[in-house]
Amino acid sequence: MAVTRTDLPELAELQQLHDIGAPQLERRLLCEVTAGAQRWPVHAYLLGHPGPDVPAVGFFGGVHGLERIGAEVVIAYLRSLVMRLRWDETLHQLLERIRLVFMPLVNPVACSAAHAPIRTAWT
């Protein structure tokens, strides 16, 4: 039986952002990926108009896991928008006309491996 992992710092930060941004920030569990006895969630975070007839923009990170900056940039942009939800009327007006989709951790297994200590012949 696989155990769901939540020890990635990115997952903890995304949970915190969802807690702050709800209900405007919607979170969808797209799937769970398994590696050995471990399982990680793959979420999409959505802001804006839910209709199928509005323009949408997607932001994706954490694809390869080796370059952590991609996930960090997507999370930072999502964080900036979530923090503006409280006070920015212009942002609210924009979100009435568009849909923003965020997938900061497309490949959490690879990102988790990137957090593991690097083993060399000398360690």
Side-chain angles (χ1 to χ4, degrees), residues 25-30 42-46 101-104:
L25 180 62
E26 177 187 351
R27 178 177 61 191
R28 290 187 188 168
L29 178 62
L30 303 179
V42 177
H43 289 108
Y45 297 85
L46 307 132
V101 178
F102 294 84
M103 283 187 65

Side-chain angles (χ1 to χ4, degrees), residues 4-17 27 39-43 45 75 105 108 115:
T4 300
R5 299 278 305 262
T6 58
D7 58 344
L8 282 173
E10 293 88 351
L11 288 175
E13 184 169 4
L14 288 166
Q15 177 62 51
Q16 184 178 42
L17 287 175
R27 178 177 61 191
R39 179 176 52 221
W40 290 265
V42 177
H43 289 108
Y45 297 85
I75 292 170
L105 287 172
H115 281 284

Side-chain angles (χ1 to χ4, degrees), residues 31-51:
C31 66
E32 291 183 330
V33 292
T34 303
Q38 300 175 351
R39 179 176 52 221
W40 290 265
V42 177
H43 289 108
Y45 297 85
L46 307 132
L47 279 172
H49 194 288

Side-chain angles (χ1 to χ4, degrees), residues 6 15 23-24 26 47 71 73 77 82 85 97 109:
T6 58
Q15 177 62 51
Q24 293 98 341
E26 177 187 351
L47 279 172
V73 168
Y77 184 51
V82 165
L85 286 172
R97 299 186 310 271
V109 174

Side-chain angles (χ1 to χ4, degrees), residues 52-109:
D53 57 341
V54 297
V57 178
F59 302 90
F60 303 89
V63 175
H64 301 111
L66 298 175
E67 59 284 337
R68 306 262 323 281
I69 191 69
E72 292 173 8
V73 168
V74 174
I75 292 170
Y77 184 51
L78 178 59
R79 181 186 324 108
S80 73
L81 292 174
V82 165
M83 301 313 279
R84 288 173 50 197
L85 286 172
R86 295 181 182 167
W87 58 268
D88 192 334
E89 284 301 316
T90 304
L91 175 60
H92 283 271
Q93 291 170 4
L94 176 65
L95 292 175
E96 291 174 5
R97 299 186 310 271
I98 66 168
R99 181 73 152 174
L100 300 178
V101 178
F102 294 84
M103 283 187 65
L105 287 172
V106 172
N107 186 353
V109 174

